[in-house]
Amino acid sequence: MGRTAVMRGLRATAHRFRVPLDHADRHSPTIEVFAREYSSLDHSDDDVAALPWLLFLQGGPGGRGVRATQLSGWMKAAAREFRILMLDQRGTGLSTPADAATLGSLPSAEAQAEYLTHFRADSIVADAELIRERLGIGRWTVFGQSYGGFCTLTYLSLAPQGIERALITGGLAPLSGRPDEVYRATFARVEERNDEYFAMYPEDRELVTRIARHLDGVEEYLPGGERLTARRFQMVGSFLGGNTRIHGLHYLLEDAFIRTAYGPRLSAAFLEQVHAVVSRASQPLYALLHESIYCQGFASSWSAQRVLGEYPQFREDAGQVLLTGEMVYPWYFEEDPALRPLRAVADILADKDDWGPLYDTDVLVTNTVPVAAAVYRHDIYVDRDLSLTTTAAVRNLEVWETDEFHHDGIADDGEAIFDRLLSMTRR
């Protein structure tokens, strides 16, 4: 256990754990996994020691744990009766990093790919179980947001004995099937969300296409030094996945053009903001592993790129340019400087056809752990219909389906969402 810091209304304690890179190999080298414990100052030290634990699994893949400076949203609700353990999933945050710099120490792209096979949900769950045992916890509540919900389903498959209850928001993964099915649903929902956005801000319909055509003919450079292309600009569609973030997209676009002696150019403020959205420098695992989170015994073969051929309206040269969602394309590894050194390993991972299982449907169909899940009807990242198919395959799972929130619901009203899901598991 590390040092405890006291902030506004909370105490935060650092924990570091050595875990095997490969939990199935007793001779495996080890890596470090970092976690931070949060508790409310409304509880005394003695009271905190008696509280049950809640493990939070962040979205991603490749997202580090929340760095809280005060208790708000879902954490405020949870800290009333839990000690919260915020995990930096392996390869992220203060855990042993997995990026171009560290992977470069391995002898080949094949060795890098083999290393990264141990960074999926099954390994994250094995880390969590080891941590639970080392902290002397009997069972804990597991709360998974987005990809963290995928990990929670894996946890329920592989080690349900460690879970008291499970809460999932925007993260009921398909238990079987290929990622092509996921991306077909995703493209359709993202197109609907584009339509909604341009109905809200009709002036941005022409502006988005104007920016794309400008980028075709004028060299504009991001702060990282690389040229911004129309297809990379389309990635700002990530704003479409939020209740309030969607309006942030309008604020981004209104900064786009400035007048210069040489004609219209994209403003430095706009380029800075776009760079913050499209760069994967802080989250390379997202690009490397995103399609693999759907793979069990087959290759993704760059699924989103292939399925894009069925949706030509999303091409960067379409007459009216649409913005994209969380799809990952092979050209990311050409245009993002943080990803260029990883192109070879990305191709190997895309071709890998022997991924192990992530879910045990026999265990899930007989599950006895109370599970409550929020399914967002218009979620552009985790499809509602695929989520409801999973619901039918997991015993003891109660769903709250709502059109009140989008994928980032817990950022909008996390306190109410958490309280509702927790109460559902206590019925």
Side-chain angles (χ1 to χ4, degrees), residues 218-285:
V218 179
E219 294 185 4
E220 299 279 9
Y221 291 89
L222 293 172
E226 73 274 24
R227 183 176 176 179
L228 176 62
T229 61
R231 62 186 180 181
R232 199 160 179 222
F233 160 66
Q234 288 177 280
M235 293 169 63
V236 301
S238 61
F239 280 90
L240 298 174
N243 281 56
T244 55
R245 286 190 76 234
I246 191 171
H247 302 290
L249 176 58
H250 176 67
Y251 291 145
L252 168 70
L253 294 173
E254 71 179 6
D255 276 344
F257 284 104
I258 57 171
R259 295 177 181 175
T260 76
Y262 309 100
R265 298 299 299 264
L266 295 181
S267 71
F270 174 77
L271 293 168
E272 178 71 35
Q273 293 172 80
V274 170
H275 183 253
V277 175
V278 304
S279 172
R280 296 298 180 204
S282 65
Q283 203 175 353
L285 286 178

Side-chain angles (χ1 to χ4, degrees), residues 191-382:
E191 184 173 13
E192 292 173 1
R193 191 63 166 158
N194 270 268
D195 291 342
E196 290 177 25
Y197 176 77
F198 292 125
M200 294 178 193
Y201 297 102
E203 66 273 29
D204 289 352
R205 171 62 282 173
E206 180 184 351
L207 179 57
V208 165
T209 300
R210 181 187 171 200
I211 293 170
R213 297 292 76 85
H214 172 85
L215 290 169
D216 289 341
V218 179
E219 294 185 4
E220 299 279 9
Y221 291 89
L222 293 172
E226 73 274 24
R227 183 176 176 179
L228 176 62
T229 61
R231 62 186 180 181
R232 199 160 179 222
F233 160 66
Q234 288 177 280
M235 293 169 63
V236 301
S238 61
F239 280 90
L240 298 174
N243 281 56
T244 55
R245 286 190 76 234
I246 191 171
H247 302 290
L249 176 58
H250 176 67
Y251 291 145
L252 168 70
L253 294 173
E254 71 179 6
D255 276 344
F257 284 104
I258 57 171
R259 295 177 181 175
T260 76
Y262 309 100
R265 298 299 299 264
L266 295 181
S267 71
F270 174 77
L271 293 168
E272 178 71 35
Q273 293 172 80
V274 170
H275 183 253
V277 175
V278 304
S279 172
R280 296 298 180 204
S282 65
Q283 203 175 353
L285 286 178
Y286 181 90
L288 285 165
L289 295 178
H290 189 266
E291 291 198 347
S292 80
I293 68 176
Y294 301 106
C295 295
Q296 302 178 89
F298 48 79
S300 72
S301 304
W302 292 114
S303 176
Q305 181 67 43
R306 289 184 292 97
V307 174
L308 174 63
E310 303 171 22
Y311 295 86
Q313 60 269 40
F314 279 95
R315 287 178 53 90
E316 69 271 18
D317 57 359
Q320 288 192 319
V321 173
L322 297 179
L323 302 174
T324 56
E326 65 173 6
M327 304 79 165
V328 174
Y329 305 110
W331 56 259
Y332 279 18
F333 295 85
E334 301 166 6
E335 298 192 11
D336 189 333
L339 298 179
R340 283 175 191 152
L342 300 170
R343 176 57 195 265
V345 68
D347 283 334
I348 293 170
L349 291 171
D351 290 338
K352 182 178 171 61
D353 60 6
D354 59 350
W355 293 105
L358 293 170
Y359 311 107
D360 188 327
T361 54
D362 291 337
V363 172
L364 292 175
V365 78
T366 59
N367 171 62
T368 60
V369 176
V371 185
V375 172
Y376 305 129
R377 193 165 295 153
H378 304 298
D379 195 329
I380 68 170
Y381 295 136
V382 179

